[in-house]
Amino acid sequence: MRKKLHEKISQFRDAEIIKEKGLYPYFRAIDSGQDTEVIIDGQRVLMFGSNSYLGLTSHPKIKEASKKAIDKYGTGCAGSRFLNGTLDIHVELENRLARFVGKDAALLFSTGFQVNLGVLSCITGRNDYLIIDEYDHASIIDGCRLSFSKLIKYAHNDMQDLQRKMSMLPEEAVKVIVVDGIFSMEGDIVKLPEIVEIADQFGASIFVDDAHSLGVIGENGSGTASHFGLTDRVDMITGTFSKSLASLGGFIAADQELIEYLKHRARSLMFSASMPPGMVASVLAALDIIETEPEHVEKLWSNTNYAMKLLLEEGFDLGPTESPIIPIYIRDNDKTFLVTKHLQHDGIFVNPVVSPAVPSDSSLLRFSLMATHTFEQIEEAVDKLVKAFKAAGVETIKERI
Ligand code: PMP
C-alpha cells in the first residue's frame, strides 16, 4: 500500500507547473562571490537581487578576520550558547551591537529567523497580545504562531487600523507591537513616530525587526529607531547579519532584564548551536568598516536614488518604496516569471515575488541595490528591464496611460 504521506506530498505541484512552463527562477546556483557581478552557468550576470546592501561579503578585511578566527577557534562551537558554545568573541559582539543600536544589552542567535522564533514565542503569555503589521516577515509570523498569545494583524502601515484594533484590546493585557523597520518586499519604512504614540496610549511595548535597516538607515546605518531619533521609545531591536553585515546570524538588543530572561527562555537560542567563530569575526569586522567608513552607506543611497530616478523616468510602477529595496510591480504571476527569465537570459539577476508571498495582483520584481554597484551597471540593468518588459508583453505605467 502506498503510504499516505507520499500521496499527500505528491499533490504538491506548484514548482513542477512553473518548471513545465520553462519559467522556474529559484535555486539558481551562483559560482562566485555575492558581488555586483556573479557567475551563473559560466555566464556573467549583474546582481540586482542581493541583500548585501553594503556589498561587504568579499571585503578583504572581513575575509581576513573570518580566516583568523577559524585559525584560532576552529570552524564550529559544537554546542549552544547556554552550555559549551559561548566564546569570548560572542560576548564582545553582543556588547558591540548593544552600543551600535543604543541599548543596554544584546543576545546573539544563529540566524535572524531564530531570533524572531525564539523571542516572540516566549515574551508573552496566554492572555497577552502580539500585534503585527500584515506585511511583517515570515519569521515574525512563525514566532507569533509558536506563542500562546493572541495574534492581531493590522493593515500594512495603516495607523488608523492599528489605533482601532488596539482600542478593542483589554486594558490590563500585555501588548507588544511587532514591526519590520524596512519592509522586506515593499521597501517602505515603518511609521515609527505614530507607532510610539499609539503604543504609549495603550501601554504597549514595541519590537522592531531591523533586518533590512541595519547598514541602510539611521546614524552610521544603526537602524530604524535611530533614523527617527526614537531609540529610547523602542523596547526591542532585532537584526540579522545576513544582509548588510556580510555574514550569518542574528541578534536582539534590549534592556538587561529582558536579555537575561531570553537567555533562559528563548528555545531557539538554548537548544541550537551558537554562531561559528568565522561568522562572528566577520560581523565584528563589518561593524568596524560601517562605523569608520560612512562612504559605504552614502554610496548605497546615491545608487538607490539614481536607480529610482531612471526607473521612474522609464515609467515603471514602483509603489511607495523609500529604500534600496525597489519593488517593480508587474501584478501577474506568470508575467513576473517571464520577465525574470528574459532578464536572466540577458545577464540581469532579480527576484520574482509572487503569490502567496504577496497577493497575486501585487506580484513584483524585487530589485535591490548594493553600495558597490556602479552607475553604469544600474543603467545597463534599467535598459535591460525595459527590453524584458517589451519581450514579455508587459506595459509600464507610462505605456498604459
Ligand atoms: N527578518 C526579516 C525582516 C527578514 O527579511 C529576514 C530574512 N529575509 C529575517 C528576519 C531572517 O533573517 P536570517 O536570514 O538571518 O534568518
Side-chain angles (χ1 to χ4, degrees):
M1 192 173 117
R2 193 141 188 249
K3 291 187 176 149
K4 295 281 183 209
L5 178 64
H6 287 161
E7 251 167 55
K8 182 181 159 55
I9 299 296
S10 67
Q11 281 162 18
F12 170 76
R13 294 206 58 248
D14 296 13
E16 211 176 310
I17 290 167
I18 310 167
K19 283 180 187 171
E20 280 164 6
K21 292 181 186 164
L23 295 176
Y24 188 74
Y26 304 119
F27 296 96
R28 288 174 267 179
I30 296 172
D31 198 12
S32 62
Q34 185 75 198
D35 297 313
T36 59
E37 240 182 74
V38 299
I39 304 293
I40 298 179
D41 290 335
Q43 189 201 359
R44 163 193 170 267
V45 178
L46 288 183
M47 173 52 81
F48 282 92
S50 181
N51 296 306
S52 178
Y53 302 117
L54 297 179
L56 295 177
T57 52
S58 295
H59 195 291
K61 282 189 188 157
I62 300 179
K63 292 207 297 199
E64 195 47 43
S66 188
K67 286 178 200 166
K68 270 199 182 143
I70 290 176
D71 285 342
K72 176 167 178 188
Y73 300 97
T75 51
C77 294
S80 89
R81 290 293 310 283
F82 191 57
L83 297 172
N84 58 306
T86 293
L87 297 174
D88 53 356
I89 50 174
H90 286 125
V91 179
E92 183 186 339
L93 179 55
E94 285 170 343
N95 293 334
R96 187 78 186 271
L97 286 163
R99 273 204 308 280
F100 184 58
V101 301
K103 290 283 160 205
D104 291 347
L107 185 61
L108 298 179
F109 287 65
S110 296
T111 66
F113 206 107
Q114 281 178 255
V115 176
N116 289 340
L117 286 189
V119 174
L120 293 170
S121 58
C122 78
I123 50 174
T124 52
R126 220 168 267 286
N127 299 317
D128 305 334
Y129 291 85
L130 293 166
I131 302 103
I132 66 172
D133 184 295
E134 63 174 336
Y135 286 180
D136 278 352
H137 188 254
S139 54
I140 290 180
I141 294 167
D142 288 4
C144 293
R145 277 188 186 151
L146 284 178
S147 164
F148 292 109
S149 305
K150 295 173 198 66
L151 181 61
I152 307 288
K153 263 191 205 176
Y154 64 91
H156 176 53
N157 248 341
D158 182 337
M159 295 300 112
Q160 273 181 351
D161 194 35
L162 174 61
Q163 170 90 28
R164 196 172 58 78
K165 297 215 161 118
M166 294 294 289
S167 69
M168 286 162 19
L169 306 181
E171 205 183 316
E172 64 289 356
V174 175
K175 304 170 199 96
V176 182
I177 301 173
V178 186
V179 289
D180 284 16
I182 290 181
F183 287 88
S184 56
M185 298 298 154
E186 296 72 23
D188 51 347
I189 303 176
V190 70
K191 292 185 179 157
L192 196 57
E194 286 95 326
I195 289 183
V196 296
E197 295 303 324
I198 295 172
D200 274 1
Q201 192 186 337
F202 295 101
S205 300
I206 302 178
F207 173 120
V208 177
D209 179 339
D210 261 346
H212 299 273
S213 317
L214 294 177
V216 178
I217 55 174
E219 195 190 345
N220 274 341
S222 61
T224 311
S226 158
H227 171 76
F228 287 110
L230 291 171
T231 303
D232 291 344
R233 302 192 50 195
V234 169
D235 304 274
M236 289 156 271
I237 296 175
T238 68
T240 170
F241 309 136
S242 63
K243 306 188 194 300
S244 290
L245 290 163
S247 185
L248 185 70
F251 74 99
I252 177 162
D255 65 41
Q256 193 69 55
E257 224 170 34
L258 197 110
I259 295 297
E260 196 58 19
Y261 173 82
L262 292 171
K263 278 176 148 176
H264 304 92
R265 283 291 175 273
R267 291 163 68 85
S268 63
L269 171 95
M270 296 170 70
F271 300 103
S272 186
S274 61
M275 280 177 75
M279 301 293 92
V280 178
S282 49
V283 182
L284 282 164
L287 283 172
D288 283 342
I289 290 169
I290 294 172
E291 287 182 320
T292 56
E293 299 174 14
E295 56 270 30
H296 300 281
V297 179
E298 284 160 16
K299 183 65 169 57
L300 174 65
W301 277 99
S302 72
N303 282 348
T304 299
N305 293 333
Y306 188 56
M308 202 93 89
K309 174 176 163 296
L310 296 188
L311 291 164
L312 286 172
E313 277 170 10
E314 292 298 345
F316 288 107
D317 177 2
L318 302 187
T321 176
E322 307 166 80
S323 73
I325 301 169
I326 306 187
I328 304 178
Y329 287 97
I330 294 182
R331 304 186 188 282
D332 177 287
N333 284 355
D334 277 4
K335 286 185 179 167
T336 303
F337 286 132
L338 190 57
V339 174
T340 307
K341 188 184 169 182
H342 282 297
L343 283 168
Q344 173 74 31
H345 192 70
D346 216 6
I348 306 290
F349 189 116
V350 290
N351 289 310
V353 182
V354 298
S355 58
V358 292
S360 54
D361 60 354
S362 299
S363 53
L364 57 94
L365 297 179
R366 186 181 184 276
F367 182 90
S368 51
L369 279 306
M370 297 161 78
T372 40
H373 280 127
T374 62
F375 276 14
E376 290 72 33
Q377 289 175 327
I378 295 169
E379 287 158 11
E380 184 179 337
V382 175
D383 282 350
K384 289 183 170 174
L385 268 162
V386 173
K387 260 176 66 189
F389 267 56
K390 285 215 166 74
V394 182
E395 289 183 331
T396 60
I397 301 186
K398 201 163 75 178
E399 287 159 338
R400 263 182 256 149
I401 49 180

